[in-house]
Amino acid sequence: MDHRFQIGQLVRPREKLLENAGIYEILRQLPSGPDGEPLYRIKAASGPVQRIVREADLLPA
């Protein structure tokens, strides 16, 4: 499955997925998880927080 978001793109998590939901930047496109869903490493625009999230849990900012 192809990745929908590109490195450097700004995204936001769906709903309250992350405790400090806000704007995040795509740092890396990761291989798909066991369910075939593309994964991403994202970084909070407002600080050093990084997470790995599924594509389905992200929206364009």
Side-chain angles (χ1 to χ4, degrees):
M1 185 178 233
D2 291 334
H3 286 78
R4 178 178 165 205
F5 300 106
Q6 302 303 312
I7 294 170
Q9 186 172 350
L10 299 179
V11 295
R12 60 185 176 88
R14 289 187 182 273
E15 305 287 322
K16 296 285 187 181
L17 175 69
L18 301 176
E19 55 216 40
N20 58 342
I23 302 297
Y24 285 76
E25 178 183 354
I26 302 288
L27 293 181
R28 292 185 90 178
Q29 295 174 332
L30 302 173
S32 297
D35 60 358
E37 182 80 26
L39 298 173
Y40 298 88
R41 177 174 291 280
I42 61 174
K43 178 187 175 299
S46 61
V49 176
Q50 292 189 15
R51 301 262 193 265
I52 294 176
V53 295
R54 297 179 328 129
E55 183 172 274
D57 295 328
L58 296 173
L59 298 169

